[in-house]
Amino acid sequence: MSQDTSYTTEEIAQLLKISKLKVYDLIKKGELPSYRVGKQMRVDASDLETYKQHSRSSQSAKNATTGVTPSAAPPSVPGPSPVQVLPVLSASSPLSKSSGRSIVITGQDMSLDILATYLERSLSADRPLRSYAGSLDSLIAMYHGESDIVSTHLLDGDTGEYNLPYIRKLLVGFPYIVIHMLTRSAGFYVQKGNPKGITSWAHLQRTDLRLINRERGSGARVLLDEQLRLLGISPANLSGYETEENSHLAVAGKVARGEADIGIGIEKAAKIVDGVDFIPLIQEQYDLVMLKKPENMPWIRSVIEVLRSSTFRSELGSIHGYDLSASGNVVYETLI
């Protein structure tokens, strides 16, 4: 094996037959040394071999005490990762190996990519990594210790309140802080000119509409399901309810191509995709959740400083549909 050989995180996951999230967990714990080249994290072949030898030794020692015949393969974690973690690294990132920890930022909005870039500039050692998952799945990832900063825009239909009802139920016993990031308009994507005359949630009762839905766990899916529940509409009666896409752009694209009459999403995507109109129905609150651990407090302060900075607000303000007037405000904070 050449000493110059190195592997990406995807290649490591395939070689070890583990999820990519597990690879990042090994890197985060310092068990698998890594370094950055441009926008990629890489692991040297020699470091991978050292990790494998260590894993085999540990497994052999364990087997010796249990009477199990040792396996030639390193231990693996079966099954796909619930979230996809990708490094966000600038072109100026150093090539030397870093001893800092990784901070996983989970959510799908492009504002999080910009936040990751600002944090990379402001943090001396910690490395921001991006993970793409819906709001509910992101909170579950935090519960399982798989995410450090979670974005969420989940509507509770009974109270009209965003996020806190879900956070309180999922993070019982956790100390956390909720910071407001932005407010944005959500509603319907319809075909250009709105030929079906769709203007309100009540129109979902019509039988002549074909829906394109979002994946389970996304904020848009929760928004739709809450409106259906409040209106007493059975999802089984909504054509296309089981047809899913994983992004606002994909949903808007399906509507633009005439493959659906209606989709749920945010205004920004309608400005990007030709052939769709946007019907605004609600202003949704987009917040960040972070666990209040002692080791987290320095970068939590950095997150708040970035959100309140004029440079960050100016850059994000150039993107259509974002209200940043309350960015950085504390929405809720546990006492401990």
Side-chain angles (χ1 to χ4, degrees):
M1 184 178 294
S2 171
Q3 294 300 312
D4 295 329
T5 302
S6 65
Y7 300 102
T8 65
T9 52
E10 290 83 357
E11 291 168 337
I12 294 292
Q14 293 172 0
L15 288 168
L16 297 182
K17 295 182 173 59
I18 61 177
S19 71
K20 192 160 60 173
L21 185 61
K22 177 62 176 177
V23 175
Y24 278 103
D25 185 54
L26 293 173
I27 293 173
K28 183 176 179 180
K29 292 177 179 177
E31 296 179 29
L32 192 60
S34 68
Y35 58 97
R36 295 177 280 182
V37 178
K39 294 187 177 182
Q40 285 188 330
M41 295 186 72
R42 302 193 71 88
V43 174
D44 282 341
S46 58
D47 288 328
L48 174 61
E49 189 61 29
T50 299
Y51 167 75
K52 290 166 66 176
Q53 292 294 340
H54 177 74
S55 296
R56 291 188 183 113
S57 298
S58 299
Q59 188 65 34
S60 296
K62 181 179 179 180
N63 291 336
T65 63
T66 60
V68 177
T69 302
S71 169
S76 63
V77 178
S81 165
V83 292
Q84 181 187 19
V85 182
L86 298 173
V88 175
L89 307 164
S90 70
S92 60
S93 298
L95 300 182
S96 60
K97 297 182 181 181
S98 171
S99 60
R101 58 160 292 182
S102 299
I103 300 172
V104 179
I105 305 172
T106 307
Q108 297 178 322
D109 196 87
M110 69 169 59
S111 59
L112 300 175
D113 300 327
I114 299 174
L115 173 64
T117 300
Y118 273 77
L119 286 178
E120 186 184 11
R121 296 171 186 165
S122 63
L123 300 175
S124 58
D126 298 335
R127 304 183 306 273
L129 302 176
R130 283 286 285 112
S131 168
Y132 297 89
S135 292
L136 195 56
D137 288 342
S138 295
L139 282 173
I140 293 172
M142 174 167 277
Y143 178 86
H144 288 296
E146 298 169 350
S147 184
D148 300 293
I149 302 173
V150 157
S151 65
T152 178
H153 56 108
L154 296 166
L155 174 69
D156 177 58
D158 292 324
T159 63
E161 186 177 14
Y162 264 95
N163 302 323
L164 284 180
Y166 295 88
I167 296 169
R168 289 185 177 120
K169 290 177 182 177
L170 283 170
L171 298 182
V172 175
F174 287 84
Y176 57 83
I177 184 170
V178 183
I179 303 296
H180 181 67
M181 187 169 188
L182 56 89
T183 301
R184 61 189 190 182
S185 183
F188 291 149
Y189 301 129
V190 298
Q191 293 174 21
K192 203 70 175 178
N194 194 9
K196 297 283 188 176
I198 303 165
T199 59
S200 70
W201 295 111
H203 284 164
L204 293 171
Q205 300 177 78
R206 291 167 45 176
T207 58
D208 64 331
L209 299 181
R210 294 169 299 155
L211 174 75
I212 180 68
N213 211 347
R214 283 293 304 278
E215 78 280 9
R216 295 181 185 276
S218 67
R221 177 66 167 260
V222 171
L223 175 60
L224 172 64
D225 287 344
E226 284 292 85
Q227 298 302 328
L228 293 178
R229 180 179 65 83
L230 293 172
L231 289 168
I233 302 173
S234 170
N237 296 331
L238 195 56
S239 176
Y241 180 84
E242 299 298 334
T243 306
E244 300 176 355
E245 289 291 345
N246 291 325
S247 71
H248 296 296
L249 287 174
V251 170
K254 287 277 189 179
V255 174
R257 293 190 296 272
E259 298 175 35
D261 300 307
I262 188 172
I264 313 297
I266 59 174
E267 184 178 9
K268 173 166 60 66
K271 298 295 182 181
I272 298 173
V273 177
D274 291 331
V276 295
D277 284 339
F278 179 74
I279 310 298
L281 295 174
I282 193 169
Q283 290 296 112
E284 63 178 18
Q285 187 171 320
Y286 198 81
D287 296 327
L288 300 181
V289 188
M290 295 166 282
L291 297 184
K292 289 173 54 180
K293 300 178 181 179
E295 63 270 25
N296 292 354
M297 298 314 296
W299 60 255
I300 287 177
R301 286 191 288 269
S302 293
V303 169
I304 295 173
E305 288 173 3
V306 167
L307 293 181
R308 293 176 178 176
S309 69
S310 58
T311 53
F312 178 79
R313 290 190 179 193
S314 177
E315 182 168 350
L316 215 57
S318 63
I319 301 174
H320 184 84
Y322 289 157
D323 179 355
L324 306 171
S325 57
S327 296
N329 288 356
V330 177
V331 176
Y332 182 81
E333 182 176 5
T334 59
L335 295 178
I336 57 173

Coordinates of all heavy atoms in Angstrom, one line a residue, residues 4 15 23 63 159 196 198-199 238 261 312:
D4 N 1.5 7.3 0.0 CA 0.9 8.6 -0.5 C -0.6 8.4 -0.7 O -1.3 9.4 -1.0 CB 1.5 9.0 -1.8 CG 3.0 9.3 -1.7 OD1 3.3 9.8 -0.6 OD2 3.8 9.1 -2.6
L15 N -15.0 1.1 2.5 CA -14.0 0.1 2.9 C -14.3 -0.6 4.2 O -14.1 -1.8 4.3 CB -12.6 0.8 2.9 CG -12.0 1.2 1.6 CD1 -10.8 2.2 1.8 CD2 -11.6 0.0 0.8
V23 N -18.1 7.3 10.2 CA -16.7 7.8 9.9 C -16.5 9.1 10.5 O -15.4 9.4 11.1 CB -16.6 7.9 8.4 CG1 -15.2 8.5 8.0 CG2 -16.7 6.5 7.7
N63 N -12.9 -11.0 22.2 CA -13.3 -12.4 21.8 C -12.6 -13.4 22.8 O -13.1 -14.5 23.1 CB -12.9 -12.7 20.4 CG -13.8 -12.0 19.4 OD1 -14.9 -11.6 19.7 ND2 -13.3 -11.8 18.2
T159 N -51.6 25.3 18.7 CA -51.2 26.6 19.3 C -50.8 27.6 18.3 O -50.7 28.8 18.7 CB -50.1 26.3 20.3 OG1 -48.9 25.9 19.6 CG2 -50.5 25.3 21.4
K196 N -55.6 26.4 -11.6 CA -56.5 25.7 -10.8 C -57.2 26.6 -9.7 O -58.1 26.2 -9.0 CB -55.9 24.6 -10.0 CG -55.3 23.5 -10.9 CD -56.4 22.6 -11.4 CE -55.9 21.3 -12.1 NZ -56.9 20.4 -12.6
I198 N -56.0 28.0 -6.9 CA -55.7 27.6 -5.6 C -55.3 28.8 -4.7 O -54.3 29.5 -5.1 CB -54.6 26.5 -5.6 CG1 -55.0 25.3 -6.4 CG2 -54.3 26.0 -4.1 CD1 -53.9 24.4 -6.8
T199 N -55.9 29.0 -3.6 CA -55.6 30.2 -2.8 C -55.6 29.9 -1.3 O -55.1 30.8 -0.6 CB -56.6 31.3 -3.0 OG1 -57.9 30.9 -2.7 CG2 -56.6 31.8 -4.5
L238 N -56.1 12.6 -0.7 CA -55.4 13.6 -1.4 C -54.5 12.9 -2.4 O -53.5 12.2 -2.0 CB -54.5 14.4 -0.4 CG -53.9 15.7 -0.8 CD1 -55.0 16.7 -1.4 CD2 -53.2 16.4 0.3
D261 N -50.1 19.5 -9.4 CA -50.8 20.8 -9.5 C -50.4 21.7 -8.3 O -50.5 22.9 -8.4 CB -52.3 20.6 -9.4 CG -52.8 19.8 -10.5 OD1 -52.5 20.2 -11.7 OD2 -53.5 18.8 -10.3
F312 N -23.1 39.2 8.3 CA -23.9 38.0 8.1 C -25.3 38.4 7.6 O -25.8 37.8 6.6 CB -24.0 37.1 9.3 CG -24.8 35.9 9.2 CD1 -24.3 34.8 8.5 CD2 -26.1 35.9 9.7 CE1 -25.1 33.6 8.4 CE2 -26.9 34.7 9.6 CZ -26.4 33.6 8.9

